[in-house]
Amino acid sequence: MLRSQFINNLRRSTRSFSTSLLASSDSTPASLGFQLSEDQLNIQNTARQFARDVIIPAAPHHDKTGEYPTEIIKQAWELGLVNTHIPSEYGGLGLGVFDTALVSEQLAYGCSGIQTAIEANGLAEAPVILAANDAQKKKYLGRMSEEPLMAAYCVTEPGAGSDVAGAKTTAVKKGDKWIVNGQKMWITNGGKANWYFLLAKTDPAANAGKAFTGFIADADSPGITVGRKEWNMGQRASDTRGITFEDVEVPDENRLGDVGQGFKIAMGAFDITRPLVASGAVGLAQRAMDEAAAYSVQRKTMGKPIVAHQAVAFMLADMAIQIEASRMMVWRAGWLRDQNKRNTYYASIAKALASETANKCASDAVQIFGGNGFNSEYPVEKLMRDAKIFTIYEGTSQIQRLIISRTIAEAAMQGQ
């Protein structure tokens, strides 16, 4: 009952906000300002308070033990901070990418591992939102709004990370079912998911654009084997596993879109989720700067706080420059997507810039902390470990540069 009342109130406020932000006509596109609305600030503050009151105190435990933050996710779900972009007709808030980025940044400020576990739902749901029919959305998005379930995006394979076209998992049509065989790897929420978005090759002879089809696979389907939880450098609260499919039957009614459209659907999801990964990186970077700034006014050397030394002060200034620039790119990429405008170029810039900002800010925070920064009793060493994955998952920084450079080259060749 409490969740229902809270969500209804939040949905009313966000609906009025989204209408005012996104309303546009062909001749008069909506404008974007830098002042957040009162409703938007309420969403942001809810996430900020939750991160500080609930996530930050619990984060060291989950980092040390690798325990999945089930209870924290349940609390976040109760507050409407999970599955934020599920449309309202399927029980969600229907937030846009811009709004959701505000939430993701605050959650990652608390712990990017916990934020990744939460945001992995959004990645799995994005292809469903983009390509599913009404019955599929009611069944799979609806259940995510009814109880705190998890989902996972099953695309990466042991030999196919950045090279998604090299994926070897197959789906063969037999009657009204598809028989799936293959292995997926590095699947976030792999061992906790209720269902998977699955990309499988349905036409080995076709090019990548037509070779794959997307499916929704129930996690309890016979033939699915969940691997061990991987012990990673950072973001240890996140559940990352390999998933093996052995003669798994997926009904044709669980196929997303037309046969052969899976690659397009899977890549289209990144235009939604890459700005959100970038917003998580901004949250981590902001935390690193805040921790470093607080330490720099307390720690004294040579008779004065280290912040009074230009070498340290300029490191903080560089952090601020990078964070503010990254946040603006997140906002632009999110806003464009919410306007139904192509944002791939800006999403890649946001992802590359913010992920590298997170790594630089975390590294510099450790440097400002000195020997203490290298010790696990202080928060910044965890930030440094957590930051690294931002340059790898959902498209490496090199892949983002490939997308950016190709866009520049195409525009140049067209004389634009």
Side-chain angles (χ1 to χ4, degrees):
M1 179 64 73
L2 183 61
R3 168 181 160 82
S4 178
Q5 292 174 346
F6 183 87
I7 293 298
N8 285 336
N9 290 336
L10 194 56
R11 185 179 293 133
R12 281 195 293 271
S13 66
T14 54
R15 185 181 296 121
S16 65
F17 165 73
S18 298
T19 300
S20 64
L21 177 66
L22 301 180
S24 63
S25 66
D26 291 339
S27 59
T28 309
S31 61
L32 172 66
F34 295 102
Q35 178 61 51
L36 301 181
S37 73
E38 182 178 350
D39 295 327
Q40 206 168 10
L41 288 171
N42 287 338
I43 299 168
Q44 185 185 55
N45 288 335
T46 297
R48 177 182 291 123
Q49 200 66 42
F50 182 77
R52 284 153 178 75
D53 292 349
V54 178
I55 295 179
I56 289 177
H61 167 77
H62 291 282
D63 179 58
K64 289 181 174 65
T65 65
E67 179 186 337
Y68 193 72
T70 302
E71 292 305 314
I72 291 175
I73 292 174
K74 285 182 179 179
Q75 292 178 60
W77 182 85
E78 290 284 348
L79 290 173
L81 301 177
V82 184
N83 309 317
T84 53
H85 31 229
I86 290 180
S88 57
E89 56 265 40
Y90 305 106
L93 289 175
L95 298 188
V97 178
F98 188 102
D99 299 357
T100 301
L102 299 177
V103 173
S104 292
E105 179 182 335
Q106 297 305 319
L107 297 181
Y109 185 99
C111 174
S112 61
I114 294 174
Q115 180 265 338
T116 291
I118 291 172
E119 187 51 46
N121 269 16
L123 177 58
E125 292 158 357
V128 179
I129 293 170
L130 288 173
N133 58 41
D134 184 61
Q136 291 168 335
K137 290 178 180 178
K138 285 180 178 177
K139 181 176 181 179
Y140 289 99
L141 298 181
R143 71 173 63 167
M144 306 298 285
S145 301
E146 292 167 358
E147 56 182 309
L149 301 174
M150 309 310 291
Y153 183 88
C154 245
V155 173
T156 300
E157 298 187 3
S162 296
D163 181 20
V164 176
K168 298 184 183 302
T169 297
T170 61
V172 178
K173 184 76 177 296
K174 288 191 176 180
D176 60 353
K177 297 177 181 178
W178 295 82
I179 309 303
V180 179
N181 284 280
Q183 185 179 6
K184 300 296 184 177
M185 190 61 196
W186 309 116
I187 306 304
T188 304
N189 287 346
K192 305 297 179 180
N194 177 266
W195 54 268
Y196 305 113
F197 165 73
L198 171 67
L199 187 70
K201 185 168 287 187
T202 50
D203 186 352
N207 60 34
K210 296 181 179 179
F212 296 93
T213 301
F215 301 92
I216 303 172
D218 289 299
D220 61 358
S221 300
I224 292 179
T225 302
V226 177
R228 66 178 176 86
K229 174 184 167 66
E230 299 294 332
W231 188 254
N232 295 323
M233 175 194 292
Q235 297 201 4
R236 293 171 177 165
S238 172
D239 183 81
T240 308
R241 301 178 188 248
I243 309 293
T244 301
F245 296 81
E246 296 181 84
D247 293 329
V248 176
E249 294 185 356
V250 178
D252 188 56
E253 66 184 31
N254 278 25
R255 172 173 46 82
L256 286 179
D258 294 332
V259 173
Q261 293 299 304
F263 187 83
K264 179 180 178 181
I265 294 168
M267 295 302 100
F270 287 140
D271 288 345
I272 297 173
T273 59
R274 279 178 177 156
L276 301 179
V277 171
S279 69
V282 171
L284 186 150
Q286 184 71 57
R287 174 78 181 280
M289 187 182 78
D290 289 352
E291 295 286 356
Y295 184 82
S296 72
V297 299
Q298 297 172 4
R299 171 69 168 160
K300 292 183 178 180
T301 63
M302 304 168 195
K304 57 185 177 182
I306 61 173
V307 73
H309 299 294
Q310 190 180 77
V312 172
F314 278 17
M315 291 172 75
L316 293 171
D318 285 341
M319 288 185 196
I321 291 168
Q322 295 162 17
I323 291 167
E324 294 295 340
S326 297
R327 184 179 289 119
M328 290 300 99
M329 284 310 308
V330 169
W331 284 19
R332 180 167 190 175
W335 179 81
L336 283 168
R337 184 63 183 79
D338 292 341
Q339 295 292 310
N340 292 318
K341 297 180 183 294
R342 185 172 176 81
N343 73 333
T344 305
Y345 173 76
Y346 295 100
S348 288
I349 292 176
K351 170 66 168 58
L353 178 61
S355 62
E356 291 168 15
T357 291
N359 277 270
K360 184 65 165 65
C361 288
S363 177
D364 284 351
V366 170
Q367 192 70 21
I368 289 171
F369 271 70
N372 289 336
F374 196 65
N375 187 278
S376 62
E377 294 300 313
Y378 291 82
V380 290
E381 68 87 25
K382 174 182 180 296
L383 296 178
M384 189 171 179
R385 288 187 288 106
D386 287 350
K388 183 55 197 169
I389 191 62
F390 281 109
T391 65
I392 299 173
Y393 62 8
E394 290 211 37
T396 64
S397 291
Q398 290 70 35
I399 289 295
Q400 305 314 317
R401 284 174 168 79
L402 185 63
I403 294 169
I404 294 163
S405 61
R406 282 178 175 174
T407 304
I408 295 169
E410 288 172 4
M413 286 187 287
Q414 294 173 6
Q416 297 178 355

